[in-house]
Amino acid sequence: MRHLMTVGLCALATAFAAAAPANAADRAIRLTVDAGKPGATIDRHLFGQFAEQLGHGIYGGIWVGKDSAIPNTRGIRNDVVAALKAIKVPNVRWPGGCYADSYHWRDGIGPHRTTRVNTAWGNVVDSNAFGTDEFMDFAKQVGAEAYISLNVGSGTVAEAQDWMEYMTADQPTTLAKLRAANGHPAPYRVAMMGIGNESWDCGGLMTPDEYTAELRRYARFVGSYNAKEPSLKIAVGPGTDDTVWTEAVMKTWKERHGWSFDIQGLSLHSYTIYDGWPPHMPSTDFDEAAYAHVIKETLKMGPLIDKQSAVMDKYDPERKIALVVDEWGAWLAPTPGTNPAFLMQQNSQRDAILAALNINIFARHADRVRMANIAQMINVLQAMILTDGPKMVLTPTYDVFKMYVPFQDATFIPVSYDAGSYVHGDTTLPRLDAIAARGKDGTIWLSLTNLDPNRPLDVDAAALGFKATSANGQTLSAPKVDSINTFDHPRTVAPRSISGTLKNGAIVLTLPPVSVTVVSLQP
Ligand code: AHR
């Protein structure tokens, strides 16, 4: 497959293709970075996280309690906070997910918590020891904004109003005083507010009309009680490539009048699930075919965003409303021997490649996709971190998020290249996936993913609009597509230094097989 990435400069790519040698399969890929044609800002909120009250995502993963022998600050694990600070988590979505539509916030405040059954995830006892004040403490320790999911499914507008007032009121109301009595006199900042979760499914099995009726009321009556700190309002959006839901929400928004209500975001949920439900692709000990199939599946994110964005464009050509991909990632078979309702899975080099490809897709759509949340942060689905009692291990996905920190709030720059192809059996994938951006300090960053697990890949990067003489950064490679980090061998997959040098006017880099590389170009 001649898979030409049309990321802005087709003409240049065509010129390079003409120069390809006879053995095209192993030739270097010529890539041009055009710094003179800046695009949209790659919003730092594209690197958001999701922490649901599910399995060991919160309990054990974040919250160990103040009396735990595991080092903690007010009950929150110090090791996990330190690791998350290093990847500059911009926001954390909480408390769900499906859980959000059965969550009643008053169960989780004050000295006496209400114990419930977590009916969304495994019917296990939910102590509610981790509630609003603990979440806000956690977000503050990490340095992240709070993205709160409101209960639309089993809650009321009045309950949601009270919750927002408890969190955000900056005047001496009864609920603000209750917050102060619980240890936090100052208002919290709720940067984003989700109006329900998957209301077409676990959030209440609503029809589009039923949801838009709820949306009008929640978006009208619920919001921040602090005029200095408004909360962005995010409506439930689609979970497939069907556009009926998107049409309904966008039409409702378009037809609103004056001060009636507003939203700033439409959610999109899209997991990488290969070969149907329930998810059954193993997260460890898989072969190259399983690698290729899952990666091919994940690349559907691009066309999905295109399709949903096109509908949004009809109603919102100025792109005022962000498409918020607030659940994405690989959903694989549960780790054998674990509670299947806890959605625990290992995380391999395949997940690292998958993460980089999705982030690159979001960056290419940065004018519409301004926020995303990988599912989920710790111990659940495609996690950054796995814990077991006092032990903690960082996953290959964590390393991708760390390597991509320079792309947070950077300006997208078009790159053009002929991606070549990697073929396994009946699956054909691009061999290279690349994006570039200019950081706030002017540094040009390049991310290069070699999807081919069998061949290193030489890239010649030519820069237009600035002078580059070398490239330095890190590459995340692994011996095998299913290489993982474990508590006993925590750094089997870890980034190492890489640099490129100037030859014939281009920076030459050799990307290891199945690797993600991020370099800065030096003048
Ligand atoms: O992330 C797990 C679940 O996936 C979420 O709770 C739900 O929103 C989605 O279906």
Side-chain angles (χ1 to χ4, degrees):
M1 178 180 65
R2 303 288 291 173
H3 185 104
L4 188 66
M5 304 299 291
T6 49
V7 203
L9 291 174
C10 302
L12 278 164
T14 310
F16 286 134
N23 183 11
D26 283 323
R27 79 202 192 293
I29 289 185
R30 306 298 308 271
L31 178 143
T32 302
V33 182
D34 193 348
K37 294 194 177 139
T41 299
I42 301 170
D43 199 305
R44 70 193 167 99
H45 288 296
L46 289 178
F47 300 86
Q49 298 286 335
F50 174 32
E52 183 164 12
Q53 307 259 131
L54 188 175
H56 296 298
I58 305 266
Y59 295 109
I62 295 173
W63 181 256
V64 288
K66 294 171 187 156
D67 300 330
S68 173
I70 299 171
N72 68 84
T73 301
R74 296 180 292 281
I76 293 163
R77 292 180 76 124
N78 292 344
D79 52 355
V80 164
V81 167
L84 293 173
K85 278 169 91 164
I87 58 171
K88 297 198 185 304
V89 175
N91 74 80
V92 182
R93 179 172 181 252
W94 176 86
C98 294
Y99 178 91
D101 280 300
S102 57
Y103 183 63
H104 299 288
W105 68 277
R106 286 179 198 272
D107 292 344
I109 57 160
H112 307 292
R113 304 294 166 103
T114 304
T115 300
R116 300 265 183 202
V117 171
N118 186 336
T119 52
W121 298 109
N123 289 316
V124 293
V125 171
D126 187 348
S127 71
N128 276 307
F130 189 91
T132 302
D133 295 293
E134 290 75 23
F135 171 69
M136 289 296 187
D137 188 10
F138 167 69
K140 188 171 180 197
Q141 288 188 37
V142 170
E145 300 277 20
Y147 174 13
I148 296 287
S149 293
L150 300 177
N151 180 345
V152 171
S154 67
T156 62
V157 168
E159 184 189 15
Q161 283 179 316
D162 284 357
W163 193 13
M164 288 299 287
E165 184 177 336
Y166 176 84
M167 290 185 281
T168 64
D170 59 343
Q171 301 187 67
T173 68
T174 301
L175 285 168
K177 286 180 190 165
L178 179 59
R179 184 189 65 228
N182 289 336
H184 208 275
Y188 295 119
R189 180 176 144 86
V190 176
M192 303 99 182
M193 184 193 100
I195 302 174
N197 172 78
E198 297 190 358
S199 303
W200 30 264
D201 190 18
C202 67
L205 284 172
M206 296 178 202
T207 64
D209 285 350
E210 286 165 347
Y211 178 72
T212 51
E214 297 290 347
L215 174 66
R216 283 189 205 96
R217 295 190 316 128
Y218 275 78
R220 166 75 185 94
F221 295 112
V222 187
S224 171
Y225 282 75
N226 181 350
K228 297 187 285 292
E229 304 269 25
S231 305
L232 300 178
K233 299 180 184 182
I234 299 169
V236 168
T240 65
D241 68 354
D242 190 297
T243 55
V244 172
W245 190 278
T246 308
E247 288 271 0
V249 174
M250 294 304 295
K251 190 165 180 285
T252 302
W253 173 78
K254 184 77 180 171
E255 288 173 355
R256 82 200 186 288
H257 60 84
W259 43 264
S260 55
F261 79 91
D262 208 354
I263 54 172
Q264 289 75 39
L266 179 78
S267 147
L268 168 67
H269 288 186
S270 179
Y271 287 95
T272 301
I273 300 168
Y274 175 72
D275 199 24
W277 192 264
H280 55 271
M281 297 299 280
S283 60
T284 58
D285 301 313
F286 53 84
D287 60 14
E288 190 176 336
Y291 164 79
H293 286 141
V294 169
I295 295 301
K296 183 160 186 164
E297 186 70 26
T298 213
L299 290 172
K300 292 179 180 168
M301 181 66 90
L304 174 63
I305 290 174
D306 288 336
K307 191 169 178 188
Q308 298 294 353
S309 293
V311 175
M312 295 176 79
D313 285 348
K314 263 190 355 191
Y315 298 94
D316 174 29
E318 293 170 45
R319 305 200 163 168
K320 289 181 182 162
I321 298 190
L323 188 59
V324 175
V325 191
D326 53 9
E327 289 189 30
W328 68 273
W331 193 325
L332 307 169
T335 300
T338 63
N339 184 338
F342 286 7
L343 310 186
M344 294 175 80
Q345 62 190 46
Q346 246 294 359
N347 194 293
S348 64
Q349 183 66 1
R350 180 179 63 188
D351 294 83
I353 300 289
L354 186 152
L357 294 175
N358 279 280
I359 295 168
N360 293 355
I361 291 168
F362 301 151
R364 290 185 193 108
H365 294 86
D367 54 349
R368 178 64 89 179
V369 181
R370 299 195 283 273
M371 186 165 151
N373 299 71
I374 190 167
Q376 300 191 7
M377 190 163 57
I378 304 162
N379 292 331
V380 176
L381 300 179
Q382 190 174 346
M384 308 298 108
I385 295 173
L386 304 176
T387 66
D388 181 12
K391 294 183 269 186
M392 179 186 88
V393 66
L394 306 175
T395 66
T397 301
Y398 173 93
D399 285 310
V400 170
F401 272 69
K402 192 164 180 197
M403 290 160 65
Y404 268 79
V405 164
F407 286 86
Q408 293 196 14
D409 285 338
T411 303
F412 185 82
I413 291 175
V415 290
S416 60
Y417 54 96
D418 176 340
S421 49
Y422 151 60
V423 182
H424 183 80
D426 58 358
T427 307
T428 301
L429 295 166
R431 193 174 171 201
L432 173 69
D433 195 75
I435 60 164
R438 188 192 289 275
K440 278 185 168 165
D441 65 355
T443 305
I444 305 280
W445 293 89
L446 199 52
S447 172
L448 305 159
T449 297
N450 177 5
L451 284 77
D452 190 328
N454 305 310
R455 292 177 298 167
L457 172 57
D458 290 335
V459 172
D460 295 351
L464 298 179
F466 73 103
K467 218 174 145 133
T469 59
S470 65
N472 297 299
Q474 293 194 305
T475 188
L476 184 73
S477 61
K480 299 184 297 158
V481 287
D482 60 344
S483 294
I484 55 172
N485 291 333
T486 64
F487 298 113
D488 293 334
H489 301 284
R491 296 276 71 192
T492 302
V493 184
R496 59 181 173 76
S497 298
I498 187 169
S499 52
T501 47
L502 191 65
K503 269 192 211 153
N504 303 326
I507 305 285
V508 179
L509 278 156
T510 300
L511 312 178
V514 71
S515 62
V516 180
T517 300
V518 173
V519 290
S520 63
L521 300 183
Q522 314 294 328

